[in-house]
Amino acid sequence: MGYHLPYYLFLALFGVCPLLTAQIEFPQADRKKKHNIRIGFEAGVDSYFSDIKKPAPLREFNSEPVGQYGSFYNEANQTFMSTGVGIKPEFFFGKNRWGISTGLRFSRYLTTLEPRHDAFYWMNAQEGLLTDYLTICKFSQKSYYLGIPLEMRFFTNRRDLPFQIYFKIGSTFNCRLSTDNEVVFKESSMEKYAGAVDEKIGKPDRFHVYIYPAIGFKIGKYGKGYSSWYNLEFHVPGILLQSNVSSFSKSKTGLGAGFTVQIPLGRMAPIGSN
């Protein structure tokens, strides 16, 4: 899967949503019936607190031509984040103040690790007193997941308002589809060792679970019952239940945000109604 795939999906989903809202036509019989299901098209991003995991062959960085060593954890930059798009139907109950949703979500988890100075040392081979090192300027790991989210939210106000606060608890069960490890060597002559380095880096766990309590804001009123909703929410914070979601990070918590456009399946009763 290519690097830009999530962003193409994002543009496709949110470019089509306004057209769907304008073009949907419901049978005459359905116009008299009030539905309580909305289809949502979502996109989101989460950034995780850095906690570096160092693969066994990775040594301290080389900051001086003469080979002096420095502190690895103080002299390395790491980023660990995820982006995702998905589709989720949401069912409303309890006078439409409660909602429960599930669906499918495609996510990409990206980790980068690079020295603040010259390069990392990577132990390639060792024989007796001789050790062969590679010099590496940057590591990048991209993992792609297909997830099943399960979320429940509650609207704080008893009446239907054009701007409304809600609280949510959500989780996603993710299955890893593929992982790409990329290595930038200091010298181009070392690129022939990329396969050996990739093998030693390894892959994250096949499955992981992400839990995220959230606070959000709904924009959109009942109107004639066919109006779209726009939801902006913030994860405060999200929690990764597995430790091996990245080969370069031991992060367990993070902060994130998500945006969802929701389209009703027919004429929906307003919040607070029976």
Side-chain angles (χ1 to χ4, degrees):
M1 296 186 183
Y3 177 86
H4 296 288
L5 180 56
Y7 302 100
Y8 288 140
L9 288 176
F10 175 88
L11 293 174
L13 286 173
F14 289 92
V16 170
C17 283
L19 297 177
L20 288 175
T21 307
Q23 296 297 326
I24 288 179
E25 295 182 359
F26 301 95
Q28 189 66 30
D30 287 345
R31 292 182 183 275
K32 298 179 180 179
K33 183 180 179 181
K34 293 180 179 180
H35 297 256
N36 56 355
I37 298 177
R38 286 177 177 265
I39 296 293
F41 301 88
E42 65 169 10
V45 59
D46 287 89
S47 181
Y48 305 93
F49 300 117
S50 295
D51 191 4
I52 296 175
K53 180 198 299 182
K54 189 171 68 169
L58 188 59
R59 298 299 185 253
E60 313 300 322
F61 75 98
N62 178 19
S63 60
E64 300 290 342
V66 296
Q68 296 179 3
Y69 291 92
S71 170
F72 179 87
Y73 293 99
N74 293 331
E75 301 296 341
N77 290 322
Q78 182 208 67
T79 59
F80 181 32
M81 64 183 299
S82 64
T83 55
V85 294
I87 181 171
K88 295 183 306 184
E90 183 172 12
F91 171 77
F92 293 89
F93 61 98
K95 295 188 175 182
N96 288 341
R97 294 183 65 194
W98 292 86
I100 184 168
S101 61
T102 187
L104 291 175
R105 179 180 295 155
F106 177 81
S107 301
R108 185 197 68 171
Y109 281 70
L110 170 65
T111 315
T112 62
L113 181 66
E114 52 189 331
R116 294 183 182 177
H117 295 286
D118 187 28
F120 291 127
Y121 274 156
W122 181 275
M123 190 179 71
N124 185 50
Q126 188 172 24
E127 183 177 352
L129 299 177
L130 299 178
T131 303
D132 181 26
Y133 286 101
L134 305 174
T135 50
I136 298 175
C137 298
K138 183 179 180 180
F139 295 95
S140 177
Q141 184 175 73
K142 303 170 192 172
S143 295
Y144 299 91
Y145 292 86
L146 184 63
I148 300 176
L150 179 61
E151 302 177 342
M152 178 174 285
R153 67 169 165 171
F154 173 73
F155 291 100
T156 59
N157 202 291
R158 296 178 182 272
R159 297 184 297 113
D160 192 56
L161 300 174
F163 182 85
Q164 199 157 354
I165 297 175
Y166 63 86
F167 293 98
K168 174 183 285 188
I169 181 68
S171 64
T172 305
F173 178 82
N174 286 302
C175 175
R176 183 169 58 84
L177 303 176
S178 65
T179 295
D180 297 324
N181 294 323
E182 297 181 5
V183 181
V184 178
F185 293 96
K186 184 178 179 181
E187 301 176 15
S188 58
S189 60
M190 296 181 178
E191 292 179 358
K192 60 185 178 181
Y193 298 106
V197 174
D198 177 87
E199 184 177 348
K200 291 182 180 179
I201 291 174
K203 312 292 184 184
D205 291 339
R206 176 65 66 180
F207 303 101
H208 79 266
V209 177
Y210 184 47
I211 296 176
Y212 44 97
I215 182 172
F217 307 93
K218 172 191 73 77
I219 301 173
K221 204 172 184 296
Y222 168 66
K224 295 182 179 180
Y226 299 103
S227 60
S228 297
W229 285 359
Y230 303 89
N231 305 280
L232 178 64
E233 62 190 38
F234 302 93
H235 305 156
V236 285
I239 302 171
L240 288 166
L241 297 187
Q242 281 72 29
S243 59
N244 189 29
V245 183
S246 166
S247 298
F248 299 104
S249 177
K250 295 183 291 184
S251 301
K252 298 288 288 185
T253 59
L255 298 175
F259 179 73
T260 307
V261 178
Q262 288 184 304
I263 301 170
L265 291 183
R267 184 168 179 261
M268 182 175 172
I271 293 173
S273 65
N274 293 323

